[in-house]
Structures are given as structure tokens and as C-alpha cells.
Amino acid sequence: MKDPAQRAVNPEKYHRILEAAISVFAEEGFFNSTISRIARKAGVADGTIYLYFKNKNDILLHFFNYKTRQVFGTFRKEVDKAHDARGKLGNLIRAHLREFQNDRNMAVVFQAEARQIRYFEVYIKDLATMYFDLVGEILELGQKEGTFRSDLDTGLVKRAILGAVDEVINTWLHASKKHVLEKHADALADFFINGIGV
Amino acid sequence: MKDPAQRAVNPEKYHRILEAAISVFAEEGFFNSTISRIARKAGVADGTIYLYFKNKNDILLHFFNYKTRQVFGTFRKEVDKAHDARGKLGNLIRAHLREFQNDRNMAVVFQAEARQIRYFEVYIKDLATMYFDLVGEILELGQKEGTFRSDLDTGLVKRAILGAVDEVINTWLHASKKHVLEKHADALADFFINGIGV
Amino acid sequence: MKDPAQRAVNPEKYHRILEAAISVFAEEGFFNSTISRIARKAGVADGTIYLYFKNKNDILLHFFNYKTRQVFGTFRKEVDKAHDARGKLGNLIRAHLREFQNDRNMAVVFQAEARQIRYFEVYIKDLATMYFDLVGEILELGQKEGTFRSDLDTGLVKRAILGAVDEVINTWLHASKKHVLEKHADALADFFINGIGV
Amino acid sequence: MKDPAQRAVNPEKYHRILEAAISVFAEEGFFNSTISRIARKAGVADGTIYLYFKNKNDILLHFFNYKTRQVFGTFRKEVDKAHDARGKLGNLIRAHLREFQNDRNMAVVFQAEARQIRYFEVYIKDLATMYFDLVGEILELGQKEGTFRSDLDTGLVKRAILGAVDEVINTWLHASKKHVLEKHADALADFFINGIGV
DNA sequence: AATGAATGAGGTTTCATTCAT
DNA sequence: GATGAATGAAACCTCATTCAT
């Protein structure tokens, strides 16, 4: 009874439900989504959901947990490909934009529900935190390299960077014409590094 | 039947309900809030809510409409106090941080629900859009003055700036110790103008 | 507090409310009608209704009471104009059709709600009963005259006659093209007197 | 979401709910009946009702649809048993009285609510219409046989006959002592065929 | 493990009625 | 007497969750 996900034997079905759920959440929003609709979309019975997830909240939590790890793994890998701070920062931003562009449902749910999640128990170390840490490392490296200013409030700058990228994604999500999100990577990196001043 | 808010004659009660609603929304999230709880907090009967608002959604819409105008008015006024682009940008950021710091309930609801609102009919020109316009003006001015780079993707930069400030507020909201939000204004402005590069 | 209608001082307003109520009942049905709508249509405040009527049911009861007397008075007068049973019967049917044709709202409410009224306290001697008595008298007269058969189950025939006229009115009410109801009087009387057999 | 009755798999439960509903409707009237009361009487949970019916209206509609067909089937069969118009008419009237006598709840609901049903969408060809058609056929046959007058306004006579039988049933329903309804069949037929004139 | 019918708590909303003005 | 804002009971209905099969 502890963790249904443990008992569950069919990982394929687990993922099918998770995908169905996210796509329903993306369409309707978490609170307007029904278990029934998710079950139908996943091609399982309503009750089956509860063999894999504790309850509706749990689905969202699993999603965050799962996607967060997966996406963060990608980010980390991309960051590691470069060896200086500028390169790493650029790679992170590009990966960030690309990943969200490639999975629109995920993007919608992250944008719309991630801030609701605090109303649930937050036992997940969420993407934001891991992102902050990653940017923090890059900033430190840049300062060590001497390519980034040493007088930065890095705690603040980390958040500013995430927020900026986040809002660009958000705008893209709600734009009518779907331009290519990833192409903004360079301009964003340039903005972060050089600012808007002459 | 038209617009309950029109019929309603007691503006004091209208505001009491609105304030109560926002505080409940802030505590519980919009979807977990009940009319009953709002009514109790406002000191009115459940049915009374419906003399002033069409339904639960309508309360949130009224809030966005009302707060958006009010907050944006403040932003505009603060921006007008300065006469060069840097001064205006700094004033905007400072006002933004200050306003949200001064009304925590508003801040929570804006952060948590503003993105849900797209699931409703959005007939309001929302804060984000007005904010973008305001920053857009400042950027143009700065470019005209020669204090801001002329090679900016201003559409992108606008969004990045809002997103950055937004995320700083968001982090503050969920921090356990409540430091002073406004004190980050200078560091943020510095970040936007000079970037992180040496 | 006993009978609001006693307290009421403005008979003009009493009738205005009654008329408004009947027209709303006719449009929406009794149960779907609201006091608010009646009040608006009568041009009075909601609360004013309760100065003239005990409650919503009471309005319908007053209507039945009032209309019944009025309509029955007309019936009686028309019946009295003829001096033989056939003439009286013809006059009754004609008056019945004419009265309902002339006041469509009344007709609708009688048809749709009169059978619901048994769910209320029935302290009124309703139109049906008075109608039965009237037809009963005519039947007896005809039998005394020797123009009507003496082997009739008069109790049954009374009801059959009312029912027949009633259903003709009912069909007329729901017909799309509004022909003249009254013109069926002779055919109905002929049917009652001579039957359909050769 | 389509048609709950389709989804429902337990026909026994469907009928149990329908019967319970009709008996509650008969006791309280449609508008005064609550889903809760129906559910309790049917021995199911409130929510279960909605697995079988779209809503309260839908229950009534299903009843009319279902009972109408069933009762009309009986009428048709009885009419077919006789081969001349008089016999058919007599059989129809007798069947009509018998059916309603045998199912008092049905009778009450038909009498009290059938005219309310027009406030709902009426997608059913209702009993009245089918009845009219049946009587129409009998009248035509009688005229062809030469046993019924050829100068009848058959449209009118059809309605008169239904109305007459209907009102006899109605009176019976509200009478305190429950005599046998069916015994009026001959007198009614006699009245329709020979009229009241000598 | 999988199903999906059944449950029933709980939410939103309506509206007849009251009562302070 | 007239008003109409306020009340709050009560109804409908939804849907997450359970559990017998």
C-alpha cells in the first residue's frame, strides 16, 4: 500500500498513464482534469490508475520528479560539453529552450502547475533548485576564470537567469505563431553577459 | 442578471469580499478555495457573494482587473518620476518589488494563479502585457539616449526582464525568512544593464 | 400576518402582481418562475409581493380562486341566457372556449398547473367542481325536458364533457397556428348530443 | 458522457431507479422530488443515479418514452383484437382505463406532469399524439363501414375522446374511494357513439 | 493485475423569504 | 407601505476513490 509505483509491474503502462495525464493536464489544467479522462486517454480503467499512483496529486508529483531528473540530466550533460563558463551558460540556455520546445505538454504543465505544486507536499527537489545549483556552479567557475564579475550577488543572478529564460518560454507557449524557441539562446546569453548598457 | 457588480450597492462589502477571497486564494490556491470559506472570512452569507460576483471565477477576474490597473498605475507613476532610461528602469524594478512586498496576498495569487487564468476567458489586458509595453518604452528611450545598446532584441529583453524580476519575487515568497525584497532593486538593475561579464 | 391580502391597501397593485405572476407562470411554468421576475414584471420590489401574498404558492392559489369565480360567473350567466338544456349546453361550451381564448395566460396556467395544484392545500372549490355542478344541472334539466336520455351515468358524462372541452383547448394552446377556438363550439355540442354513431 | 443509459450495464438497477423515481414523482410532483429521495427509495447512492440518467429531467423523459411505448403497444394490440370500429373503440377505451388503473404511479405522473413536459425538450412523440392517430384510424374505419357519421370533424372528435377518457381517469385518481375505473368503459363508449340526446 | 460500477462527501449555486431602513 | 440587500437552506451534480469481481 506504501507506494503503488513499487507494486506496479508494468512500466510501460506506468509511462502510458503518466504521458496521458500530462497531456490532459496540459489541455485542461490539473484541477480541471479528471481521472476518468486520463484513464480513457491511457487506455486503462479508472481503477488501474490507483495501482500505479497513490492519487491524482501523486501523478503530478511523479511527473515533476521524473521529468525534472530527466531534463536536468540533459542540462548537466550539455553544460559538461563546454569547458569555460560562457560556453557552459550558453549550452544550458540552449538546452533549456530546446527541451521545452520539444515537449510542449511538459512545458505547459511546468509553466502552469509548477507554482501550484507548493500547495502539495513538496518532497521533490524541484527543477528550479537544481537549476539554481547548476547556474551557481557556472557563475563560480566564471568568476574563477575571471570572465564573470566578482561583485555579483550570485544568489540573485541565478534566479534572474532562470526567471528570464522561463518567461521567454512562457511567452512562446502562449504565442499564436510557433516560432523556433531555441533561436533565442544566443540573444539571451548575450543579454546575461553583456547587459543592455552600452 | 447583467453584472452582479453593477447591481451591488455596497462598495465596502464588495471590497471586503474581494480581499477575503484573495486571502483565501493565497492560502489555499484558487481551486481549493471554497465560497463558504470566503464568505465566512468576509463576514457575509454564502449567497451574498453572488450579489457581487457572477461566480468564483468572476472573483479572480475582478481581482486581476482591479489589481492590475492599480499596480500598473503605480508603476507608471514611478517610471515617470525619472527622466532618463536608467532612472526609469531602476524605478520600475524598485516599484515592482515594493508593491509585491507590500501586498503578500496579491503577490501569491499573481504568482500562483496568473497562469491559470488563461484557462478562463481572458478579456483583461494583463499585467504582463502592460509591463512589457512599459519596459519597451524605456528600452526605446535608452536607445535614443544612447545609453542602451542599439542591437537589442527588445521583444526578448522585455520578457527577460519581467521574468527575472518575477522569479526573484517568487523565490522571496517561498523563502522561510522574509528578508526585504526591495533591497534587490539595484543589483537587478545593475545585472540588466551591465550583465555578468567583466 | 394572517392574510396579507387583507392588509394590502392597494388593490390596483394586488392585481398588477397577480397578472404579472400569471404571465410569468405561463411563460416559465410555476416552478421555474421566480419571485424576482414576477416583481420586476409587476414593477414592484420583491419584498412587496409578500405584503399581498403569503408566499409563492399563495399567488397561484389566489389566481385559481379569483379566476375560477370570475370565469364561473361568466359561464353561469351564459348558461342562464338559454332556457332549454341544449341551448344551455351550447352556451356553456361556447363561453368556455371563448374565455380561454381571450386570456391565453390564464389558459396556459390552468392547463399546465391546475393538476399540480393538488400538491398544495386545496382549499378552493375549483373550477372543475363548479363546472361539474353546472353541467349536472343542465343534464338534469335535459332529462326532465325529455331532450336528454334518462339512462345516462351523469356523473361520468359531466366529467367526459369537461375533459373533452379541456383537451380541445389544450391542443389549441400547443398548436402553432392560432385558429379560432370558439368555432369548435357547435361541433362539440353536436358530438355530445348526437355522438358519432349514425 | 454520451448517454448514461447506454453506459449503464445493470438493467435491473436502471428499472429500479426508474420505478423509484416515478413513485416519488407521483407522491411529490416532479419539481418537489429530490434526487436524494429517489436514490434512497431505489436503494442506491445519489451519484449512482447519474450513471443511468443525465439528470432529473432525463429520468422523466425516459419514463415517458418507455411507458408511452409500452402502453401504446398494449392499446394497439387491444384495438387489433376487434374488427369493426365500435369494437375497436370499446377495446381502446377499456385498455386505456385498465392500464392506468393497474399502474397508479404512472397514471399520476402522466396526469400531473405530461403537460409540464413541454417545458423540457420534447423529442418524444407523446402518448397523446399516438392516441390521436389510433382514434383517427378507428374513426375512418367506422366511416368506411358506415357505422360512424361521415360529417364529423374527426380532428376535433379525436381530441374530445382522449380528453373525456383522460378526465375520467383524473377524477378517479383524486377520488377518495377507489372504485373500479374499467367499469366505465361501456358507458363512455356509449356516450361517444350515441351522445346524450334522445 | 485489471476493471469499472458504485459510492457519497462536498462544492457551487439558486432563490423564497425576511427585515432594517 | 415599500424596498431590495442579505440570508442560508437545500438542491443538483461531479468525481476521486474504493472494492467486488
Side-chain angles (χ1 to χ4, degrees):
Chain A
M1 183 59 72
K2 284 310 143 45
D3 186 355
Q6 301 305 323
R7 254 194 312 165
V9 284
N10 190 336
E12 191 272 326
K13 200 168 277 189
Y14 168 84
H15 280 100
R16 218 165 70 227
I17 294 171
L18 205 49
E19 288 302 326
I22 296 320
S23 111
V24 173
F25 292 165
E27 271 177 64
E28 316 267 356
F30 177 75
F31 285 100
N32 293 317
S33 300
T34 67
I35 291 289
S36 245
R37 179 112 195 270
I38 294 168
R40 204 175 322 130
K41 192 153 209 163
V44 300
D46 291 21
T48 304
I49 305 261
Y50 291 86
L51 299 175
Y52 292 87
F53 300 93
K54 217 164 54 225
N55 51 38
K56 202 175 127 185
N57 282 2
D58 194 43
I59 305 178
L60 192 55
L61 254 13
H62 270 247
F63 164 74
F64 279 119
N65 223 355
Y66 158 73
K67 270 300 174 185
T68 292
R69 278 178 219 289
Q70 178 193 302
V71 165
F72 185 74
T74 309
F75 289 177
R76 168 65 73 190
K77 207 157 48 189
E78 289 298 314
V79 166
D80 288 348
K81 283 184 183 162
H83 296 294
D84 64 334
R86 282 173 184 246
K88 282 173 188 288
L89 183 61
N91 283 0
L92 174 59
I93 297 167
R94 187 166 297 100
H96 192 168
L97 297 177
R98 192 194 323 115
E99 289 301 308
F100 278 69
Q101 177 167 257
N102 287 345
D103 191 344
R104 200 165 189 281
N105 284 340
M106 168 186 78
V108 171
V109 175
F110 258 115
Q111 294 297 326
E113 314 296 347
R115 287 167 179 186
Q116 298 279 352
I117 206 177
R118 305 181 201 268
Y119 293 117
F120 311 137
E121 325 110 83
V122 196
Y123 55 75
I124 60 173
K125 191 182 194 225
D126 72 332
L127 190 57
T129 310
M130 298 196 299
Y131 200 94
F132 285 160
D133 292 348
L134 195 47
V135 178
E137 291 173 30
I138 297 174
L139 289 179
E140 272 180 50
L141 175 64
Q143 291 179 319
K144 229 175 288 170
E145 287 174 2
T147 48
F148 290 168
R149 295 159 53 188
S150 56
D151 64 337
L152 297 172
D153 177 344
T154 54
L156 185 78
V157 167
K158 293 192 296 199
R159 292 175 258 150
I161 288 176
L162 170 58
V165 180
D166 211 59
E167 182 59 36
V168 169
I169 293 171
N170 197 36
T171 306
W172 171 79
L173 276 177
H174 297 102
S176 33
K177 60 195 273 281
K178 295 290 157 240
H179 58 271
V180 179
L181 185 53
E182 199 180 340
K183 74 173 184 207
H184 296 303
D186 290 336
L188 270 171
D190 173 55
F191 168 62
F192 294 148
I193 291 172
N194 300 312
I196 60 178
V198 289
Chain B
M1 183 67 67
K2 288 310 144 43
D3 184 355
Q6 302 303 324
R7 248 193 314 165
V9 283
N10 191 336
E12 191 271 324
K13 200 166 280 186
Y14 168 84
H15 281 101
R16 216 165 71 224
I17 294 171
L18 205 50
E19 289 301 327
I22 295 321
S23 110
V24 173
F25 292 165
E27 274 176 62
E28 317 266 355
F30 176 75
F31 285 100
N32 292 317
S33 300
T34 69
I35 291 290
S36 251
R37 179 111 196 272
I38 295 169
R40 203 174 323 125
K41 192 155 211 162
V44 299
D46 290 21
T48 304
I49 305 266
Y50 293 87
L51 297 176
Y52 292 86
F53 301 93
K54 227 168 38 231
N55 51 39
K56 212 173 94 174
N57 280 6
D58 196 42
I59 304 179
L60 193 55
L61 253 14
H62 270 248
F63 164 74
F64 278 117
N65 223 354
Y66 158 73
K67 270 301 176 187
T68 292
R69 278 176 218 292
Q70 179 194 300
V71 165
F72 186 74
T74 308
F75 289 178
R76 168 64 75 189
K77 208 156 49 187
E78 288 299 314
V79 166
D80 287 348
K81 281 185 182 161
H83 296 292
D84 63 333
R86 282 173 183 246
K88 281 173 188 289
L89 184 61
N91 283 359
L92 174 60
I93 297 166
R94 187 166 297 103
H96 192 167
L97 296 176
R98 192 193 324 116
E99 288 299 309
F100 278 68
Q101 176 166 257
N102 287 344
D103 191 343
R104 200 165 189 281
N105 285 339
M106 169 186 77
V108 172
V109 175
F110 258 114
Q111 294 296 327
E113 314 295 346
R115 284 163 183 188
Q116 296 282 349
I117 207 177
R118 303 178 202 269
Y119 292 116
F120 310 136
E121 327 112 86
V122 195
Y123 53 77
I124 59 174
K125 193 187 192 213
D126 74 330
L127 190 57
T129 311
M130 299 196 299
Y131 201 94
F132 285 160
D133 293 347
L134 195 47
V135 177
E137 290 174 32
I138 296 173
L139 290 178
E140 273 179 50
L141 175 65
Q143 292 179 317
K144 227 175 290 170
E145 284 175 3
T147 47
F148 290 169
R149 296 159 52 187
S150 56
D151 65 337
L152 297 171
D153 177 343
T154 54
L156 185 79
V157 168
K158 289 191 299 198
R159 291 176 259 151
I161 289 176
L162 170 58
V165 179
D166 213 58
E167 183 59 36
V168 169
I169 293 171
N170 198 36
T171 307
W172 171 78
L173 276 176
H174 297 103
S176 35
K177 61 195 270 283
K178 294 292 157 240
H179 59 272
V180 179
L181 185 53
E182 199 180 341
K183 74 173 186 208
H184 296 302
D186 290 334
L188 271 169
D190 173 55
F191 168 62
F192 296 147
I193 290 171
N194 301 312
I196 61 178
V198 289
Chain C
M1 184 62 70
K2 286 306 145 43
D3 186 355
Q6 301 306 322
R7 253 195 312 166
V9 284
N10 191 336
E12 190 272 323
K13 200 168 279 187
Y14 168 85
H15 281 99
R16 219 165 69 224
I17 294 171
L18 206 49
E19 288 301 326
I22 296 322
S23 111
V24 173
F25 292 165
E27 273 177 62
E28 317 267 356
F30 177 75
F31 284 99
N32 293 316
S33 300
T34 67
I35 291 289
S36 244
R37 179 113 193 271
I38 294 168
R40 203 176 322 129
K41 193 154 207 161
V44 300
D46 291 20
T48 304
I49 306 259
Y50 291 85
L51 299 175
Y52 292 86
F53 301 92
K54 217 161 57 221
N55 52 39
K56 204 175 125 182
N57 282 4
D58 195 42
I59 305 179
L60 192 56
L61 254 14
H62 269 247
F63 164 73
F64 278 119
N65 222 356
Y66 157 74
K67 269 301 176 187
T68 292
R69 279 178 217 291
Q70 179 195 299
V71 165
F72 185 74
T74 307
F75 290 178
R76 168 65 73 190
K77 208 157 48 188
E78 288 298 315
V79 166
D80 287 349
K81 281 185 182 161
H83 296 293
D84 63 334
R86 281 172 184 249
K88 281 174 188 289
L89 183 60
N91 282 2
L92 174 60
I93 296 166
R94 187 167 296 101
H96 192 166
L97 297 177
R98 192 193 323 116
E99 288 300 308
F100 277 68
Q101 176 167 256
N102 288 345
D103 190 343
R104 199 164 191 283
N105 284 340
M106 170 187 74
V108 171
V109 175
F110 258 115
Q111 295 296 327
E113 314 296 346
R115 285 164 181 190
Q116 298 279 350
I117 206 177
R118 305 181 201 268
Y119 294 116
F120 310 137
E121 325 110 85
V122 197
Y123 55 75
I124 60 172
K125 192 183 193 227
D126 73 332
L127 189 55
T129 310
M130 299 196 298
Y131 200 94
F132 285 160
D133 293 349
L134 195 46
V135 178
E137 291 174 29
I138 297 173
L139 289 178
E140 274 179 48
L141 175 64
Q143 291 179 320
K144 227 175 289 169
E145 285 174 3
T147 47
F148 290 169
R149 296 159 51 188
S150 57
D151 64 338
L152 297 172
D153 177 342
T154 53
L156 185 79
V157 168
K158 290 191 298 197
R159 291 176 258 149
I161 288 176
L162 171 58
V165 180
D166 212 58
E167 183 58 36
V168 169
I169 293 171
N170 196 36
T171 307
W172 172 78
L173 275 177
H174 296 103
S176 35
K177 59 194 272 282
K178 295 290 155 241
H179 59 272
V180 179
L181 184 54
E182 200 180 341
K183 72 172 187 210
H184 296 304
D186 291 336
L188 270 170
D190 174 55
F191 168 62
F192 294 148
I193 290 171
N194 301 312
I196 60 179
V198 287
Chain D
M1 184 67 67
K2 286 314 143 43
D3 185 356
Q6 301 304 323
R7 249 193 312 165
V9 283
N10 191 336
E12 191 272 323
K13 199 165 281 187
Y14 168 84
H15 281 101
R16 216 165 72 226
I17 294 172
L18 204 50
E19 289 303 326
I22 295 320
S23 111
V24 174
F25 292 165
E27 274 176 61
E28 317 265 356
F30 177 75
F31 285 100
N32 292 317
S33 301
T34 68
I35 291 290
S36 250
R37 181 110 195 271
I38 295 168
R40 204 174 323 126
K41 192 155 211 161
V44 299
D46 291 21
T48 304
I49 304 267
Y50 293 88
L51 297 177
Y52 292 86
F53 301 93
K54 229 171 34 235
N55 51 39
K56 214 174 92 176
N57 282 5
D58 196 42
I59 304 179
L60 192 55
L61 253 14
H62 270 247
F63 164 73
F64 278 117
N65 223 356
Y66 160 71
K67 270 298 175 188
T68 291
R69 279 177 218 290
Q70 180 195 298
V71 165
F72 185 74
T74 308
F75 290 177
R76 167 65 74 188
K77 208 157 48 191
E78 288 299 314
V79 166
D80 287 348
K81 282 184 182 161
H83 295 294
D84 64 333
R86 281 173 185 249
K88 282 175 188 288
L89 184 61
N91 284 359
L92 174 60
I93 296 166
R94 187 166 298 101
H96 192 166
L97 295 177
R98 192 194 324 116
E99 289 299 309
F100 277 68
Q101 178 168 256
N102 288 344
D103 191 342
R104 197 164 192 283
N105 285 339
M106 169 188 76
V108 172
V109 175
F110 258 115
Q111 294 296 326
E113 314 297 346
R115 286 166 181 186
Q116 296 283 349
I117 207 178
R118 304 179 200 270
Y119 292 117
F120 311 137
E121 325 113 85
V122 196
Y123 53 76
I124 59 174
K125 193 185 191 215
D126 72 331
L127 190 57
T129 309
M130 299 197 299
Y131 201 94
F132 285 160
D133 293 347
L134 195 46
V135 178
E137 291 174 32
I138 297 173
L139 290 178
E140 272 180 50
L141 175 65
Q143 291 179 320
K144 228 176 289 172
E145 286 175 4
T147 47
F148 290 168
R149 297 159 53 188
S150 57
D151 65 337
L152 297 170
D153 177 343
T154 54
L156 185 78
V157 168
K158 293 191 297 198
R159 291 175 258 149
I161 289 177
L162 170 58
V165 180
D166 212 58
E167 182 59 35
V168 169
I169 294 171
N170 197 35
T171 307
W172 171 78
L173 276 177
H174 297 101
S176 33
K177 59 195 271 284
K178 294 291 156 242
H179 59 272
V180 179
L181 185 53
E182 199 179 342
K183 73 170 187 212
H184 296 302
D186 291 335
L188 270 170
D190 174 54
F191 168 62
F192 294 149
I193 290 171
N194 301 311
I196 60 179
V198 290

